[in-house]
Amino acid sequence: MKQSKILRQLRRVDFRSKLLSLQFINVPPANSQPPVGLIVALHGWGANAEDVASLLPYFQLPNYQFVFPNAPYPHPYSSVGKAWYDLRNENMYQGLSESRQLLTDFLQSLESSTAVPLSRTILCGFSQGGAMTLEVGLKLPLAGLVVMSGYLHPDAVPTEQKEIPPTLVMHGTQDEVVPLQAAIRTRETLQSLSFTVDYREFAAGHEINLQMLEALRNFVLTTIA
């Protein structure tokens, strides 16, 4: 099925919180049965929900429901891109607290609309979306977290918690946008608090490749099962 045809079939929905609204693409299971689990995938800085939704055929998880949110802020350099918060030096992290609350409220609302509890929900993200996955997901009782080419915000780790969701961290060794050291730092920080992390490196740049998607698929099947 061609990408354009897939995107035409996707359903766009609005979620409104107290301060911001969030648009998202909702994709029910391909078999029209109740979902085995829910996967929420967050795009990176300057991308959008459709970018991640275009990877849907490669996830190869037809029994799962997928939700692809759009970040709430416009990207400063792209008419179609979105941002979870600003990454320009003069406004670094501006909007982060608002996006954190919006995404938390959104995730907690999904059970009522999908009938899938947080305990069967996987939150994953790429680049800035990976950073938001850690920012929000470490504090919620989710089934698991998947971080691709992401990084850990300062003070994102809830040190008072005794456990976090199972977490898969993946990164390209040739990443020219978010250096590999960011993933290593994430792993070391979580492990220093006695949290278990599944850590993988790939011979790749700043991208989501098929090897990462296969590792994500296996992680989802193992974690939800």
Side-chain angles (χ1 to χ4, degrees), residues 169-193:
V169 174
M170 299 185 282
H171 216 97
T173 57
Q174 300 154 27
D175 194 325
E176 72 286 356
V177 177
V178 180
L180 178 64
Q181 186 60 36
I184 295 173
R185 189 180 303 114
T186 298
R187 179 191 66 191
E188 291 176 346
T189 300
L190 294 177
Q191 288 180 340
S192 71
L193 296 169

PDB file of all heavy atoms in Angstrom, residues 169-193:
ATOM      1  N   VAL A 169      16.494   1.806  24.958  1.00  0.00           N
ATOM      2  CA  VAL A 169      17.183   2.981  24.422  1.00  0.00           C
ATOM      3  C   VAL A 169      18.000   2.549  23.215  1.00  0.00           C
ATOM      4  O   VAL A 169      18.854   1.661  23.316  1.00  0.00           O
ATOM      5  CB  VAL A 169      18.092   3.625  25.488  1.00  0.00           C
ATOM      6  CG1 VAL A 169      18.911   4.764  24.878  1.00  0.00           C
ATOM      7  CG2 VAL A 169      17.265   4.145  26.665  1.00  0.00           C
ATOM      8  N   MET A 170      17.730   3.183  22.059  1.00  0.00           N
ATOM      9  CA  MET A 170      18.440   2.856  20.819  1.00  0.00           C
ATOM     10  C   MET A 170      19.034   4.120  20.218  1.00  0.00           C
ATOM     11  O   MET A 170      18.410   5.183  20.257  1.00  0.00           O
ATOM     12  CB  MET A 170      17.492   2.200  19.806  1.00  0.00           C
ATOM     13  CG  MET A 170      16.879   0.902  20.284  1.00  0.00           C
ATOM     14  SD  MET A 170      15.881   0.102  18.989  1.00  0.00           S
ATOM     15  CE  MET A 170      14.387   1.099  19.055  1.00  0.00           C
ATOM     16  N   HIS A 171      20.240   3.980  19.632  1.00  0.00           N
ATOM     17  CA  HIS A 171      20.916   5.160  19.095  1.00  0.00           C
ATOM     18  C   HIS A 171      21.878   4.750  17.990  1.00  0.00           C
ATOM     19  O   HIS A 171      22.463   3.661  18.027  1.00  0.00           O
ATOM     20  CB  HIS A 171      21.696   5.869  20.203  1.00  0.00           C
ATOM     21  CG  HIS A 171      21.690   7.359  20.089  1.00  0.00           C
ATOM     22  ND1 HIS A 171      20.822   8.166  20.781  1.00  0.00           N
ATOM     23  CD2 HIS A 171      22.450   8.194  19.341  1.00  0.00           C
ATOM     24  CE1 HIS A 171      21.056   9.439  20.480  1.00  0.00           C
ATOM     25  NE2 HIS A 171      22.046   9.473  19.596  1.00  0.00           N
ATOM     26  N   GLY A 172      22.042   5.622  17.023  1.00  0.00           N
ATOM     27  CA  GLY A 172      22.996   5.400  15.957  1.00  0.00           C
ATOM     28  C   GLY A 172      24.391   5.858  16.363  1.00  0.00           C
ATOM     29  O   GLY A 172      24.553   6.949  16.923  1.00  0.00           O
ATOM     30  N   THR A 173      25.392   5.055  16.073  1.00  0.00           N
ATOM     31  CA  THR A 173      26.766   5.406  16.442  1.00  0.00           C
ATOM     32  C   THR A 173      27.295   6.569  15.619  1.00  0.00           C
ATOM     33  O   THR A 173      28.287   7.203  15.989  1.00  0.00           O
ATOM     34  CB  THR A 173      27.693   4.195  16.268  1.00  0.00           C
ATOM     35  OG1 THR A 173      27.610   3.724  14.913  1.00  0.00           O
ATOM     36  CG2 THR A 173      27.299   3.065  17.210  1.00  0.00           C
ATOM     37  N   GLN A 174      26.648   6.858  14.482  1.00  0.00           N
ATOM     38  CA  GLN A 174      27.093   7.944  13.614  1.00  0.00           C
ATOM     39  C   GLN A 174      26.114   9.122  13.630  1.00  0.00           C
ATOM     40  O   GLN A 174      26.065   9.923  12.691  1.00  0.00           O
ATOM     41  CB  GLN A 174      27.248   7.417  12.181  1.00  0.00           C
ATOM     42  CG  GLN A 174      28.263   6.281  12.069  1.00  0.00           C
ATOM     43  CD  GLN A 174      27.992   5.358  10.886  1.00  0.00           C
ATOM     44  OE1 GLN A 174      27.419   5.779   9.895  1.00  0.00           O
ATOM     45  NE2 GLN A 174      28.399   4.104  11.014  1.00  0.00           N
ATOM     46  N   ASP A 175      25.339   9.235  14.694  1.00  0.00           N
ATOM     47  CA  ASP A 175      24.340  10.298  14.801  1.00  0.00           C
ATOM     48  C   ASP A 175      25.039  11.658  14.872  1.00  0.00           C
ATOM     49  O   ASP A 175      25.813  11.923  15.794  1.00  0.00           O
ATOM     50  CB  ASP A 175      23.479  10.076  16.041  1.00  0.00           C
ATOM     51  CG  ASP A 175      22.217  10.926  16.053  1.00  0.00           C
ATOM     52  OD1 ASP A 175      22.274  12.072  15.570  1.00  0.00           O
ATOM     53  OD2 ASP A 175      21.182  10.444  16.549  1.00  0.00           O
ATOM     54  N   GLU A 176      24.763  12.513  13.898  1.00  0.00           N
ATOM     55  CA  GLU A 176      25.397  13.825  13.835  1.00  0.00           C
ATOM     56  C   GLU A 176      24.537  14.921  14.463  1.00  0.00           C
ATOM     57  O   GLU A 176      24.977  16.067  14.586  1.00  0.00           O
ATOM     58  CB  GLU A 176      25.689  14.186  12.365  1.00  0.00           C
ATOM     59  CG  GLU A 176      24.468  14.521  11.528  1.00  0.00           C
ATOM     60  CD  GLU A 176      23.598  13.339  11.138  1.00  0.00           C
ATOM     61  OE1 GLU A 176      23.977  12.182  11.453  1.00  0.00           O
ATOM     62  OE2 GLU A 176      22.527  13.571  10.530  1.00  0.00           O
ATOM     63  N   VAL A 177      23.316  14.590  14.879  1.00  0.00           N
ATOM     64  CA  VAL A 177      22.406  15.583  15.468  1.00  0.00           C
ATOM     65  C   VAL A 177      22.359  15.438  16.987  1.00  0.00           C
ATOM     66  O   VAL A 177      22.564  16.408  17.729  1.00  0.00           O
ATOM     67  CB  VAL A 177      20.987  15.442  14.874  1.00  0.00           C
ATOM     68  CG1 VAL A 177      20.028  16.429  15.536  1.00  0.00           C
ATOM     69  CG2 VAL A 177      21.025  15.672  13.371  1.00  0.00           C
ATOM     70  N   VAL A 178      22.073  14.250  17.450  1.00  0.00           N
ATOM     71  CA  VAL A 178      22.107  13.945  18.886  1.00  0.00           C
ATOM     72  C   VAL A 178      23.242  12.935  19.086  1.00  0.00           C
ATOM     73  O   VAL A 178      23.103  11.767  18.736  1.00  0.00           O
ATOM     74  CB  VAL A 178      20.769  13.345  19.382  1.00  0.00           C
ATOM     75  CG1 VAL A 178      20.856  13.035  20.871  1.00  0.00           C
ATOM     76  CG2 VAL A 178      19.614  14.311  19.109  1.00  0.00           C
ATOM     77  N   PRO A 179      24.376  13.362  19.603  1.00  0.00           N
ATOM     78  CA  PRO A 179      25.545  12.472  19.708  1.00  0.00           C
ATOM     79  C   PRO A 179      25.245  11.216  20.514  1.00  0.00           C
ATOM     80  O   PRO A 179      24.392  11.207  21.414  1.00  0.00           O
ATOM     81  CB  PRO A 179      26.585  13.345  20.408  1.00  0.00           C
ATOM     82  CG  PRO A 179      26.150  14.751  20.141  1.00  0.00           C
ATOM     83  CD  PRO A 179      24.654  14.717  20.098  1.00  0.00           C
ATOM     84  N   LEU A 180      25.972  10.151  20.187  1.00  0.00           N
ATOM     85  CA  LEU A 180      25.821   8.877  20.890  1.00  0.00           C
ATOM     86  C   LEU A 180      25.992   9.048  22.393  1.00  0.00           C
ATOM     87  O   LEU A 180      25.369   8.328  23.188  1.00  0.00           O
ATOM     88  CB  LEU A 180      26.835   7.873  20.349  1.00  0.00           C
ATOM     89  CG  LEU A 180      26.852   6.486  20.996  1.00  0.00           C
ATOM     90  CD1 LEU A 180      25.535   5.761  20.761  1.00  0.00           C
ATOM     91  CD2 LEU A 180      28.027   5.668  20.456  1.00  0.00           C
ATOM     92  N   GLN A 181      26.815   9.991  22.801  1.00  0.00           N
ATOM     93  CA  GLN A 181      27.067  10.198  24.223  1.00  0.00           C
ATOM     94  C   GLN A 181      25.780  10.504  24.990  1.00  0.00           C
ATOM     95  O   GLN A 181      25.665  10.192  26.173  1.00  0.00           O
ATOM     96  CB  GLN A 181      28.076  11.342  24.418  1.00  0.00           C
ATOM     97  CG  GLN A 181      28.522  11.537  25.862  1.00  0.00           C
ATOM     98  CD  GLN A 181      29.192  10.297  26.441  1.00  0.00           C
ATOM     99  OE1 GLN A 181      29.914   9.584  25.747  1.00  0.00           O
ATOM    100  NE2 GLN A 181      28.939  10.021  27.712  1.00  0.00           N
ATOM    101  N   ALA A 182      24.790  11.074  24.301  1.00  0.00           N
ATOM    102  CA  ALA A 182      23.511  11.368  24.966  1.00  0.00           C
ATOM    103  C   ALA A 182      22.814  10.084  25.384  1.00  0.00           C
ATOM    104  O   ALA A 182      22.211  10.010  26.468  1.00  0.00           O
ATOM    105  CB  ALA A 182      22.615  12.182  24.036  1.00  0.00           C
ATOM    106  N   ALA A 183      22.874   9.063  24.531  1.00  0.00           N
ATOM    107  CA  ALA A 183      22.270   7.773  24.868  1.00  0.00           C
ATOM    108  C   ALA A 183      23.046   7.085  25.982  1.00  0.00           C
ATOM    109  O   ALA A 183      22.451   6.482  26.887  1.00  0.00           O
ATOM    110  CB  ALA A 183      22.215   6.886  23.625  1.00  0.00           C
ATOM    111  N   ILE A 184      24.360   7.165  25.909  1.00  0.00           N
ATOM    112  CA  ILE A 184      25.193   6.565  26.960  1.00  0.00           C
ATOM    113  C   ILE A 184      24.900   7.223  28.304  1.00  0.00           C
ATOM    114  O   ILE A 184      24.782   6.553  29.339  1.00  0.00           O
ATOM    115  CB  ILE A 184      26.683   6.702  26.587  1.00  0.00           C
ATOM    116  CG1 ILE A 184      26.984   5.887  25.326  1.00  0.00           C
ATOM    117  CG2 ILE A 184      27.569   6.258  27.748  1.00  0.00           C
ATOM    118  CD1 ILE A 184      28.378   6.082  24.770  1.00  0.00           C
ATOM    119  N   ARG A 185      24.738   8.540  28.286  1.00  0.00           N
ATOM    120  CA  ARG A 185      24.426   9.267  29.517  1.00  0.00           C
ATOM    121  C   ARG A 185      23.063   8.855  30.068  1.00  0.00           C
ATOM    122  O   ARG A 185      22.890   8.705  31.283  1.00  0.00           O
ATOM    123  CB  ARG A 185      24.464  10.770  29.258  1.00  0.00           C
ATOM    124  CG  ARG A 185      24.365  11.614  30.535  1.00  0.00           C
ATOM    125  CD  ARG A 185      24.413  13.109  30.206  1.00  0.00           C
ATOM    126  NE  ARG A 185      25.629  13.451  29.476  1.00  0.00           N
ATOM    127  CZ  ARG A 185      25.653  13.886  28.224  1.00  0.00           C
ATOM    128  NH1 ARG A 185      24.517  14.039  27.547  1.00  0.00           N
ATOM    129  NH2 ARG A 185      26.791  14.184  27.628  1.00  0.00           N
ATOM    130  N   THR A 186      22.104   8.651  29.170  1.00  0.00           N
ATOM    131  CA  THR A 186      20.782   8.190  29.600  1.00  0.00           C
ATOM    132  C   THR A 186      20.887   6.835  30.289  1.00  0.00           C
ATOM    133  O   THR A 186      20.337   6.625  31.377  1.00  0.00           O
ATOM    134  CB  THR A 186      19.830   8.086  28.395  1.00  0.00           C
ATOM    135  OG1 THR A 186      19.655   9.383  27.819  1.00  0.00           O
ATOM    136  CG2 THR A 186      18.473   7.531  28.814  1.00  0.00           C
ATOM    137  N   ARG A 187      21.592   5.923  29.637  1.00  0.00           N
ATOM    138  CA  ARG A 187      21.765   4.584  30.211  1.00  0.00           C
ATOM    139  C   ARG A 187      22.454   4.657  31.575  1.00  0.00           C
ATOM    140  O   ARG A 187      21.995   4.046  32.554  1.00  0.00           O
ATOM    141  CB  ARG A 187      22.591   3.722  29.257  1.00  0.00           C
ATOM    142  CG  ARG A 187      22.847   2.301  29.766  1.00  0.00           C
ATOM    143  CD  ARG A 187      23.893   1.599  28.919  1.00  0.00           C
ATOM    144  NE  ARG A 187      25.200   2.251  29.057  1.00  0.00           N
ATOM    145  CZ  ARG A 187      26.250   1.991  28.282  1.00  0.00           C
ATOM    146  NH1 ARG A 187      26.149   1.115  27.302  1.00  0.00           N
ATOM    147  NH2 ARG A 187      27.392   2.617  28.477  1.00  0.00           N
ATOM    148  N   GLU A 188      23.544   5.402  31.653  1.00  0.00           N
ATOM    149  CA  GLU A 188      24.310   5.469  32.893  1.00  0.00           C
ATOM    150  C   GLU A 188      23.511   6.130  34.020  1.00  0.00           C
ATOM    151  O   GLU A 188      23.575   5.692  35.172  1.00  0.00           O
ATOM    152  CB  GLU A 188      25.612   6.229  32.656  1.00  0.00           C
ATOM    153  CG  GLU A 188      26.591   5.466  31.768  1.00  0.00           C
ATOM    154  CD  GLU A 188      27.853   6.263  31.463  1.00  0.00           C
ATOM    155  OE1 GLU A 188      27.847   7.497  31.714  1.00  0.00           O
ATOM    156  OE2 GLU A 188      28.825   5.670  30.975  1.00  0.00           O
ATOM    157  N   THR A 189      22.737   7.155  33.679  1.00  0.00           N
ATOM    158  CA  THR A 189      21.935   7.840  34.699  1.00  0.00           C
ATOM    159  C   THR A 189      20.866   6.915  35.272  1.00  0.00           C
ATOM    160  O   THR A 189      20.683   6.830  36.495  1.00  0.00           O
ATOM    161  CB  THR A 189      21.272   9.095  34.112  1.00  0.00           C
ATOM    162  OG1 THR A 189      22.281   9.987  33.636  1.00  0.00           O
ATOM    163  CG2 THR A 189      20.422   9.803  35.155  1.00  0.00           C
ATOM    164  N   LEU A 190      20.169   6.204  34.394  1.00  0.00           N
ATOM    165  CA  LEU A 190      19.119   5.297  34.866  1.00  0.00           C
ATOM    166  C   LEU A 190      19.714   4.115  35.627  1.00  0.00           C
ATOM    167  O   LEU A 190      19.168   3.700  36.657  1.00  0.00           O
ATOM    168  CB  LEU A 190      18.286   4.823  33.675  1.00  0.00           C
ATOM    169  CG  LEU A 190      17.466   5.900  32.947  1.00  0.00           C
ATOM    170  CD1 LEU A 190      16.736   5.308  31.750  1.00  0.00           C
ATOM    171  CD2 LEU A 190      16.474   6.569  33.890  1.00  0.00           C
ATOM    172  N   GLN A 191      20.820   3.598  35.138  1.00  0.00           N
ATOM    173  CA  GLN A 191      21.448   2.468  35.823  1.00  0.00           C
ATOM    174  C   GLN A 191      22.014   2.873  37.179  1.00  0.00           C
ATOM    175  O   GLN A 191      22.037   2.055  38.113  1.00  0.00           O
ATOM    176  CB  GLN A 191      22.546   1.864  34.948  1.00  0.00           C
ATOM    177  CG  GLN A 191      22.015   1.101  33.745  1.00  0.00           C
ATOM    178  CD  GLN A 191      23.111   0.516  32.880  1.00  0.00           C
ATOM    179  OE1 GLN A 191      24.268   0.956  32.930  1.00  0.00           O
ATOM    180  NE2 GLN A 191      22.769  -0.468  32.066  1.00  0.00           N
ATOM    181  N   SER A 192      22.449   4.123  37.316  1.00  0.00           N
ATOM    182  CA  SER A 192      22.991   4.588  38.598  1.00  0.00           C
ATOM    183  C   SER A 192      21.925   4.600  39.683  1.00  0.00           C
ATOM    184  O   SER A 192      22.238   4.574  40.879  1.00  0.00           O
ATOM    185  CB  SER A 192      23.584   5.993  38.443  1.00  0.00           C
ATOM    186  OG  SER A 192      22.561   6.971  38.257  1.00  0.00           O
ATOM    187  N   LEU A 193      20.647   4.611  39.243  1.00  0.00           N
ATOM    188  CA  LEU A 193      19.525   4.572  40.182  1.00  0.00           C
ATOM    189  C   LEU A 193      18.946   3.172  40.308  1.00  0.00           C
ATOM    190  O   LEU A 193      17.846   2.982  40.812  1.00  0.00           O
ATOM    191  CB  LEU A 193      18.437   5.541  39.721  1.00  0.00           C
ATOM    192  CG  LEU A 193      18.848   7.020  39.703  1.00  0.00           C
ATOM    193  CD1 LEU A 193      17.818   7.863  38.977  1.00  0.00           C
ATOM    194  CD2 LEU A 193      19.065   7.533  41.124  1.00  0.00           C
TER     195      LEU A 193
END
